[in-house]
Amino acid sequence: MAADTSTRGSGAGKPISVLFVCLGNICRSPMAEATFRSLTQARPNSRIGTIDSAGTAGYHTLNPPDYRTMATLRKHGINNYEHGARKIAESDFDTFDYIFAMDRSNLRELQRLQQRADAQRGSKTKAQVMLYGAFGGKNRDEVVADPYYGGDDGFEEVYEQVQRFGQAFLSEVVDEKQ
Ligand code: 4NP
């Protein structure tokens, strides 16, 4: 289901808050969050509000990111990132303007949870839920594959993808709303 951009989202000029979501919140979404923080620090005038990440599952709640995520970030000069894993909460759909899924399974789960949140409160929650690869991805639906059971090169690929998607999101959406 496509994101409903007609009735969700923040007003122009307001800070834009962003949540990155994968399954476990220890590999892909922390990489997306840390790289996006780094990109926004390089653009101090960007209207960016809260930045966070979460998982659709709670297996790793409060755990730090996977050591391979941290090693990949350090390799690219990002040394100051800290995070404790958490599971997505219903309130996230009203806190964040954009909730970015790393893959289609994350996206489906987020859409299901958002529909439930909408139904419970009787009106639409704020967040636009979409694939992160809708920005800067091949065919605008590139997924970030789960690197957890693979080698270090999978983490390097995740880094390259989230860096590319973050740059595209900043130039296509955030800079446009300045
Ligand atoms: P992530 O990777 O969703 O990118 O954080 C995973 C981390 C842990 C597990 C699966 C995926 N796990 O099954 O524990």
Side-chain angles (χ1 to χ4, degrees):
M1 189 176 71
D4 183 350
T5 53
S6 60
T7 52
R8 299 197 199 267
S10 70
K14 289 195 179 153
I16 298 170
S17 55
V18 186
L19 179 68
F20 299 97
V21 176
C22 58
L23 175 62
N25 191 213
I26 57 168
C27 298
R28 293 166 290 175
S29 59
M31 191 96 83
E33 182 196 345
T35 54
F36 192 69
R37 285 183 182 279
S38 172
L39 285 169
T40 58
Q41 279 156 13
R43 297 175 181 228
N45 295 326
S46 294
R47 282 186 194 275
I48 291 291
T50 306
I51 304 169
D52 197 4
S53 64
T56 57
Y59 320 131
H60 296 280
T61 297
L62 295 181
N63 286 356
D66 188 283
Y67 70 95
R68 294 164 295 180
T69 292
M70 296 304 283
T72 306
L73 290 170
R74 275 197 300 275
K75 186 177 152 196
H76 291 279
I78 299 175
N79 299 303
N80 57 354
Y81 179 63
E82 290 180 7
H83 183 70
R86 73 170 180 92
K87 190 174 177 186
I88 181 108
E90 195 177 304
S91 58
D92 289 325
F93 294 100
D94 261 327
T95 301
F96 291 94
D97 296 303
Y98 287 88
I99 301 183
F100 287 130
M102 298 298 121
D103 67 25
R104 292 188 187 293
S105 167
N106 312 147
L107 181 64
R108 277 192 300 274
E109 180 62 2
L110 288 170
Q111 287 168 337
R112 186 185 73 77
L113 292 171
Q114 186 172 37
Q115 279 168 14
R116 199 175 69 182
D118 288 356
Q120 264 172 14
R121 58 174 254 179
S123 61
K124 287 197 171 180
T125 48
K126 174 169 84 165
Q128 292 188 47
V129 173
M130 55 206 298
L131 276 179
Y132 199 19
F135 295 97
K138 296 176 192 96
N139 303 318
R140 303 214 154 239
D141 67 352
E142 187 178 327
V143 299
V144 183
D146 185 351
Y148 186 64
Y149 294 105
D152 290 349
D153 51 343
F155 284 78
E156 190 60 37
E157 189 176 347
V158 170
Y159 176 87
E160 184 279 318
Q161 289 182 295
V162 296
Q163 182 80 353
R164 177 158 43 93
F165 301 165
Q167 278 166 343
F169 174 64
L170 281 170
S171 60
E172 288 176 30
V173 174
V174 180
D175 292 351
E176 284 299 309
K177 284 198 177 184
Q178 293 288 332

